[in-house]
Amino acid sequence: MAYIHFTDEQKQQANSVDLVDFLQRQGEQLMRSGREWRWKRHDSVTVRGNQWFRHSRKEGGHAIDFVQQFYDMSFPEAVSFLLGEDSGVEWNQTVKSAPAPRKEFALPDANPDMRRVFAYLIKQRFIDREVLSHFAHEKLIYEDKKYHNAVFVGLDENGVPRHANKRGTYTHGEPYKGNVEGSDPKYSFHWIGGSNVLYVFEAPVDMLSFITLHQDGWKQHSYVTLDGVSEHALLCQLKLNPYLKSVVLCLDHDEAGIEAVGRLKDILYEKGYRDISVMQSQYKDWNEDLKAKNGVSPIPAREHPKLELLPKVVGELHDLCKALATHKDIDSFLAECAEAVGPLLASGKTAALNSEAVRECLQCMAASSLTAMQRQLSQMEQPVTMVQLIQKLQDSYRPHEDRGWLRTKAEQLRQDVSNISRQLQTISIRTLEDKEKLLSSYQRLAMDSIKTIMFVMQELPSMLPVQEQAANCSMTM
């Protein structure tokens, strides 16, 4: 698309489009989630006004980058679309439906008894009565007076309530869940014991379920809920209780939970923590494990789809690397593959219509990068087999780092190739540091090629019009 100049006022107007209105008029289904809306097609994405956030990947922004990310448009295309210049559509602006000012935090009034909360958590969620009684006695769980929700209280270091998570106790339909307005996410529901072990969960019911399943000496350990997958509450408790050295991540056994575990491990490692382990529920979460133990059919666990696809994608490189082993100018071949795939990644539809050609080019780029790495290591008298290199590539994949839509991935590939080309053109004698930097660049290109292959396999088919999807299906039958 040719260059288009937008004034600051135009860009601000485009970025102020109400994403709830935008998605609903696109025919998308949204579900209320507290003060936000959850996008049913991408259930880790929430929108509110002109803001969006993808919780599984900890990324977000405003209307323009939302359209770029999820509708595969360039910046000028996204701005023009949101301004309605091509379609003549006038989208609602967030200023027309701005939310009321945020209230100060205050706990809901307590009900005189906890019969409904006890009945729900014990009979429906199978939480142990003694465990529940302990938290109720500590005034960390109670029943609210107006709606009879279970309220899970989070205290600060002075014992003052700063956070409250509410969970509906009605058994018909999807129960209400959300935080009391004004809650400070650093002080979510938790229990601090005297040992050096801290167990980490997504939600209060997960934490109580885990304790029910592992009751032996539970009070001596510490437990914290993340109110989702945010790190704030975890880091707060580690800071307030420096004797906590061993962290056990016990998040949900699904795509979002698996990505969050990887991201939290990185954060903890940067903070100097080394004793980090993972405990994974057999089913979707710890309460589903508890349900299964009590004869209720549980929701199954969901493995990360990219981790399931990865071995197949990486495994296909073996024969190609073997074929390239005798290629005289591997760097020129790599550059040719990159030049060929560039136009095919220009848009999601173009890539979807040419998915096999895209995949072949990307496989050649990954295999060429690995072959170049092997030769460089041989010159450095560090011989390694291709099997070892491919296994190292697979082991280094981190799903929480695999972000972005097709345009982002295509740009990253261009940067990788350009970076390698620039290093190869250096005339001076390469130092050991230069050689290691080049190895790292080849490794990065191989990994980014693998990420893009998986994106092509998983995401692009849905970008084709329905007629073309049907045609493709009939061709494969």
Side-chain angles (χ1 to χ4, degrees):
M1 187 173 184
Y3 172 76
I4 302 176
H5 173 72
F6 296 106
T7 65
D8 289 341
E9 183 180 358
Q10 286 177 310
K11 287 185 280 189
Q12 184 176 1
Q13 180 184 345
N15 235 3
S16 298
V17 166
D18 189 315
L19 290 174
V20 175
D21 171 65
F22 173 85
L23 286 170
Q24 287 175 337
R25 288 208 253 172
Q26 300 294 323
E28 298 288 351
Q29 290 183 290
L30 301 174
M31 301 173 289
R32 193 76 186 184
S33 179
R35 291 168 62 86
E36 301 175 325
W37 293 85
R38 189 171 297 278
W39 189 3
K40 192 169 184 179
R41 185 156 63 93
H42 294 281
D43 60 6
S44 72
V45 176
T46 56
V47 294
R48 178 180 175 186
N50 67 331
Q51 297 180 310
W52 65 277
F53 192 75
R54 195 170 194 168
H55 297 267
S56 63
R57 299 183 180 179
K58 299 297 288 182
E59 60 183 359
H62 297 85
I64 294 175
D65 46 37
F66 179 87
V67 173
Q68 286 183 268
Q69 179 86 291
F70 295 102
Y71 287 83
D72 194 35
M73 294 186 188
S74 65
F75 180 82
E77 288 171 339
V79 175
S80 297
F81 184 60
L82 291 168
L83 290 175
E85 294 179 352
D86 297 327
S87 60
V89 176
E90 181 184 355
W91 308 104
N92 285 343
Q93 303 289 302
T94 54
V95 293
K96 296 179 181 178
S97 57
R102 194 173 182 85
K103 298 178 181 178
E104 290 189 13
F105 175 76
L107 287 174
D109 291 337
N111 200 50
D113 61 60
M114 292 182 60
R115 285 182 295 178
R116 291 195 189 183
V117 166
F118 264 71
Y120 171 72
L121 291 177
I122 294 173
K123 295 180 180 179
Q124 300 297 322
R125 308 310 289 267
F126 303 102
I127 305 301
D128 180 79
R129 179 179 289 274
E130 290 187 9
V131 170
L132 183 55
S133 296
H134 170 81
F135 283 95
H137 181 266
E138 296 290 330
K139 302 189 184 304
L140 296 175
I141 300 178
Y142 71 93
E143 182 176 315
D144 83 60
K145 185 176 182 179
K146 187 173 183 180
Y147 299 107
H148 301 283
N149 294 314
V151 181
F152 302 92
V153 182
L155 308 179
D156 66 12
E157 58 270 32
N158 298 313
V160 177
R162 299 293 186 188
H163 187 283
N165 178 267
K166 297 183 292 183
R167 181 82 184 193
T169 56
Y170 294 99
T171 57
H172 299 290
E174 183 68 22
Y176 168 79
K177 52 185 176 181
N179 293 332
V180 172
E181 193 169 352
S183 291
D184 187 335
K186 297 196 304 294
Y187 298 106
S188 58
F189 184 67
H190 62 274
W191 170 260
I192 302 300
S195 81
N196 71 339
V197 182
L198 175 64
Y199 294 91
V200 185
F201 305 88
E202 292 190 23
V205 172
D206 298 329
M207 172 178 148
L208 296 173
S209 300
F210 180 89
I211 293 173
T212 298
L213 290 165
H214 305 86
Q215 290 189 51
D216 188 24
W218 74 266
K219 292 179 186 178
Q220 65 181 316
H221 305 305
S222 297
Y223 310 82
V224 64
T225 62
L226 300 180
D227 193 19
V229 293
S230 172
E231 70 273 14
H232 302 300
L234 165 61
L235 296 180
C236 179
Q237 293 307 320
L238 290 173
K239 182 178 179 180
L240 293 175
N241 305 282
Y243 61 89
L244 295 173
K245 300 296 184 183
S246 179
V247 179
V248 186
L249 301 172
C250 309
L251 277 57
D252 288 4
H253 196 157
D254 59 14
E255 181 176 350
I258 291 168
E259 289 195 8
V261 164
R263 185 179 58 81
L264 292 173
K265 286 172 73 174
D266 286 349
I267 292 172
L268 289 168
Y269 198 83
E270 289 176 3
K271 298 287 183 181
Y273 292 89
R274 296 295 180 266
D275 189 359
I276 308 167
S277 57
V278 178
M279 286 187 69
Q280 207 169 42
S281 54
Q282 181 180 353
Y283 298 100
K284 192 241 177 215
D285 57 43
W286 297 103
N287 192 244
E288 297 303 321
D289 281 14
L290 193 53
K291 286 179 181 178
K293 186 178 179 180
N294 285 274
V296 176
S297 180
I299 299 173
R302 288 188 301 171
E303 301 300 335
H304 198 290
K306 289 183 178 177
L307 289 176
E308 291 185 306
L309 181 59
L310 181 65
K312 177 180 184 299
V313 173
V314 172
E316 292 174 347
L317 296 178
H318 286 276
D319 290 343
L320 189 51
C321 288
K322 187 176 180 180
L324 290 173
T326 57
H327 200 290
K328 292 183 178 180
D329 193 348
I330 198 68
D331 288 306
S332 294
F333 179 70
L334 193 160
E336 290 172 6
C337 294
E339 185 176 355
V341 82
L344 300 178
L345 297 177
S347 72
K349 184 176 180 180
T350 302
L353 290 170
N354 300 277
S355 59
E356 281 306 310
V358 170
R359 187 173 170 183
E360 288 177 8
C361 287
L362 292 169
Q363 286 175 330
C364 287
M365 289 171 65
S368 299
S369 300
L370 291 170
T371 303
M373 283 183 69
Q374 187 181 40
R375 292 180 183 180
Q376 180 71 49
L377 286 166
S378 180
Q379 293 174 10
M380 297 167 64
E381 298 184 353
Q382 299 177 28
V384 62
T385 67
M386 185 55 68
V387 171
Q388 290 173 319
L389 275 181
I390 292 176
Q391 187 61 51
K392 180 181 178 182
L393 182 69
Q394 180 173 333
D395 292 344
S396 63
Y397 176 76
R398 301 289 182 268
H400 67 284
E401 296 176 346
D402 189 358
R403 301 180 177 183
W405 204 247
L406 183 64
R407 197 175 299 275
T408 303
K409 294 183 182 299
E411 178 58 31
Q412 186 60 58
L413 289 171
R414 283 193 291 270
Q415 291 178 11
D416 292 342
V417 173
S418 176
N419 190 29
I420 290 172
S421 177
R422 186 170 57 253
Q423 292 177 66
L424 291 175
Q425 291 172 4
T426 303
I427 301 175
S428 60
I429 299 175
R430 292 195 186 99
T431 64
L432 178 60
E433 183 180 355
D434 292 334
K435 294 176 181 178
E436 290 177 345
K437 184 178 179 181
L438 182 59
L439 283 171
S440 179
S441 297
Y442 282 130
Q443 169 85 7
R444 187 178 302 109
L445 177 56
M447 179 59 74
D448 287 335
S449 298
I450 291 298
K451 290 177 180 178
T452 311
I453 290 172
M454 291 197 291
F455 182 92
V456 168
M457 295 176 68
Q458 291 187 322
E459 302 286 348
L460 290 193
S462 65
M463 300 182 69
L464 285 172
V466 174
Q467 298 89 339
E468 291 173 356
Q469 289 185 44
N472 287 347
C473 288
S474 63
M475 290 173 62
T476 58
M477 292 178 65

